[in-house]
Amino acid sequence: MALAKTEASGGSGLLPEVLAFSSSLALDRQLLREDLVGSLAHVTMLGRTGVIPKADAQAIREGLIALWKRADAGKLELPDEEDVHMAVEVELNNTIGAPAALLHSARSRNDQVATDLRLHVREVAANALRELTGFIQEIVTRARAEKELILPSYTHRQRAQPISLAYWLASYGAAFLRDAQALSFVLEQCKLLPLGVGAISGTSLPIDREISRTLLGFEGVTLNGMDTVGDRDFALDLLYATARFFVHASRLSTDLVDFTTQEFGFATLSGDISMGSSMMPQKKNPDVFELIRGKSGKAVGNLVGLLTTVKGLPGGYNRDLQEDRASLLETAPLLLGTLSVLRLSLPRVTFNAEKCRAGLEEGFTQATDLAEALVKKGMPFRKAYMAAGALVRRCQEKGITLRAATLELAQSIDPAYDASILSVLEPAGAVARKASAGSTGPAAVEATLTVIEAQARVLAERAAQVPKLSVLFTELERATL
Ligand code: ARG
């Protein structure tokens, strides 16, 4: 028995234009593996519970397994149907014949697609979490090796205070750690199985959702069918975690684009990650970091797009939800591709200690240290601020750095200045003296790195617990009825 193309849509012959307009196959064929695994679990449950005869369940299982293997070998050409779910059902029918008609018992494409999407989001979030925690560990290791290099920090893009390169690196380590936490939250949001709620209100057939739950590695089943079929929160959470990662990656990129300009001169890119110009032979452009910044627009757009699609929908399933596919399916290559290039690129950025140091001195970045040294001698901060500011201005007038200021010059501004106060003008000392938690002081940076490293390790373990689709398939293949 061959299923007619339009049978799933109620059998009323659709206009070809309408079928083309409503088809999601071009995108959701990417969910083939998820769909096959979900169907394998469903039919195994149907067979075990006696909803369909065991012999038919076995025939369907073998058919689905054959489809997976053909897909794996690149030999599965999906028929041109409305979506991947129908395409699989039709191809199953082409493969095993009549029993294929039993697969969709007690199931709707509404709970089917919700299941496929959760399996997909769970796998993407776990893969991204593994990559991101790996990147965080690399940042920590690099930071430990860069404690001696001192450079200016910036507020309002004006030189602010001396920091170590380790501190700069740790700042992005801390931000990416929060993104890893957001990805771990996505996994939390994916832990309930949608399958078994049917189109909206469940089924009167004697299914057992617990069986499907165990087979697909979920921690529980969703609480309400009507909510389940209209829920894309787990997808939104992935898009949010992705957008936020990109916001951080784009800020890191902007720092590096700036640092590698001739104007800053703090860092250089190795030849294998920087690109030339087709016209200007001298150029060495930071395209990689510009592209990461550019792609962040996509990530933010995907989040806003899906939020807008979901907003204002009535309860239950609505076909609008099919429009989640583009933003969601784009996310895995966008996120994983960027992470992998970032991991390759950061080690290929080298910092120039001399230039960084010159930036510190030219920027009078030790001015706060001068004020704090006066405070330590008992001067109120506001007064010390004025005295330090006056010395900075005097040096600027004379065209010298703070370190070139003589004691005589300083005392002509305020007699409280003495040699020990001026000794704080050595920039490395400005970093070494910082003692507060979360500061650029070496002990504080090490404490920060230890926390980041430990938390990243816990999150990496969380990612490792997520069953991979290929593993689920192998277990389902072995499962008995
Ligand atoms: N292709 C649809 C989607 O992705 C599957 C669900 C269709 N459900 C329906 N009642 N037409 O959302």
Side-chain angles (χ1 to χ4, degrees):
M1 177 191 66
L3 278 178
K5 256 196 174 53
T6 50
E7 218 158 286
S9 331
S12 58
L14 273 181
L15 283 174
E17 291 85 350
V18 172
L19 180 62
F21 179 73
S22 54
S23 171
S24 54
L25 187 60
L27 285 175
D28 63 20
R29 61 170 72 246
Q30 291 176 57
L31 294 172
L32 175 64
R33 282 154 43 93
E34 288 84 344
D35 203 68
L36 289 171
V37 159
S39 287
L40 257 176
H42 182 65
V43 74
T44 305
M45 181 278 288
L46 292 178
R48 283 189 194 168
T49 50
V51 173
I52 66 172
K54 278 197 173 22
D56 290 320
Q58 192 48 35
I60 296 172
R61 279 175 45 82
E62 282 162 20
L64 292 169
I65 290 166
L67 293 190
W68 173 288
K69 294 196 168 159
R70 277 166 59 199
D72 236 17
K75 289 194 179 123
L76 180 59
E77 191 68 44
L78 282 178
D80 183 21
E81 291 292 328
E82 190 182 305
D83 55 31
V84 68
H85 324 297
M86 289 316 304
V88 165
E89 204 173 322
V90 169
E91 190 56 24
L92 184 68
N93 184 70
N94 296 340
T95 312
I96 64 165
L102 295 170
L103 169 62
H104 213 51
S105 314
R107 186 175 72 170
S108 154
R109 281 182 295 161
N110 299 354
D111 61 339
Q112 188 177 359
V113 71
T115 303
D116 292 2
L117 292 174
R118 260 185 221 214
L119 287 169
H120 177 76
V121 167
R122 186 172 80 173
E123 181 133 308
V124 173
N127 287 343
L129 189 51
R130 196 170 336 102
E131 282 294 313
L132 184 55
T133 49
F135 181 43
I136 292 169
Q137 181 57 57
E138 286 157 13
I139 291 177
V140 167
T141 306
R142 174 86 183 265
R144 290 205 167 112
E146 302 278 17
K147 285 183 176 156
E148 304 299 319
L149 197 147
I150 313 288
L151 75 163
S153 60
Y154 290 81
T155 62
H156 313 267
R157 221 32 165 181
Q158 305 288 319
R159 287 173 205 167
Q161 296 174 338
I163 56 170
S164 65
L165 183 55
Y167 187 66
W168 179 84
L169 285 162
S171 77
Y172 287 105
F176 288 133
L177 178 67
R178 290 194 300 277
D179 298 329
Q181 287 162 346
L183 284 170
S184 156
F185 178 74
V186 175
L187 294 177
E188 287 296 300
Q189 294 293 306
C190 286
K191 68 185 188 190
L192 301 184
L193 173 73
L195 197 60
V197 304
I200 183 162
S201 68
T203 174
S204 62
L205 296 173
I207 64 165
D208 183 347
R209 296 182 71 198
E210 273 303 303
I211 295 178
S212 324
R213 175 192 77 72
T214 314
L215 291 171
L216 290 172
F218 285 81
E219 288 175 34
V221 298
T222 55
L223 299 174
N224 174 291
M226 178 167 157
D227 170 53
T228 301
V229 293
D231 169 28
R232 293 294 179 271
D233 292 351
F234 58 97
L236 285 168
D237 289 328
L238 176 67
L239 296 184
Y240 172 64
T242 302
R244 219 183 57 182
F245 160 78
F246 268 99
V247 166
H248 295 143
S250 70
R251 296 183 69 173
L252 168 68
S253 297
T254 292
D255 272 356
L256 291 173
V257 168
D258 284 356
F259 289 176
T260 52
T261 58
Q262 279 176 339
E263 284 71 10
F264 275 75
F266 291 177
T268 34
L269 306 178
S270 68
D272 51 3
I273 59 161
S274 48
M275 293 168 206
S277 148
S278 62
M279 186 176 187
M280 300 169 281
Q282 86 283 11
K283 292 299 286 291
K284 198 175 165 197
N285 294 326
D287 297 35
V288 164
F289 296 109
E290 293 170 292
L291 284 167
I292 291 172
R293 211 165 51 180
K295 285 175 195 292
S296 67
K298 262 272 159 221
V300 172
N302 285 343
L303 171 62
V304 175
L306 185 55
L307 276 172
T308 312
T309 298
V310 173
K311 177 208 156 293
L313 290 183
Y317 177 83
N318 300 275
R319 191 65 180 266
D320 315 44
L321 291 172
Q322 183 174 292
E323 293 300 315
D324 62 20
R325 241 39 59 85
S327 17
L328 198 52
L329 294 175
E330 197 176 65
T331 296
L334 189 65
L335 180 56
L336 294 166
T338 299
L339 264 166
S340 122
V341 166
L342 250 186
R343 291 182 73 175
L344 287 171
S345 300
L346 198 56
R348 291 173 163 77
V349 181
T350 40
F351 283 77
N352 180 330
E354 288 309 306
K355 292 270 198 172
C356 291
R357 191 185 170 89
L360 286 166
E361 303 257 0
E362 290 158 11
F364 300 90
T365 57
Q366 320 94 310
T368 321
D369 292 272
L370 204 54
E372 288 190 352
L374 289 164
V375 166
K376 285 180 193 157
K377 295 274 176 183
M379 191 182 279
F381 179 75
R382 267 301 153 234
K383 188 159 182 268
Y385 172 93
M386 306 290 273
L391 184 55
V392 167
R393 273 185 299 283
R394 191 68 61 81
C395 290
Q396 285 170 334
E397 283 156 19
K398 287 175 148 321
I400 59 171
T401 65
L402 268 175
R403 267 204 318 147
T406 59
L407 185 55
E408 201 186 355
L409 178 70
Q411 286 181 338
S412 74
I413 291 166
D414 196 308
Y417 276 117
D418 63 24
S420 73
I421 291 172
L422 292 192
S423 75
V424 305
L425 292 171
E426 163 53 40
V431 169
R433 267 188 312 276
K434 293 281 189 312
S436 54
S439 73
T440 187
V445 169
E446 184 47 45
T448 298
L449 294 175
T450 306
V451 171
I452 292 175
E453 187 172 46
Q455 294 193 8
R457 192 170 306 134
V458 171
L459 292 168
E461 280 159 18
R462 173 83 184 83
Q465 282 159 13
V466 173
K468 287 191 182 1
L469 275 177
S470 51
V471 172
L472 282 178
F473 171 76
T474 313
E475 285 169 3
L476 279 160
E477 192 182 7
R478 289 198 204 114
T480 48
L481 285 176

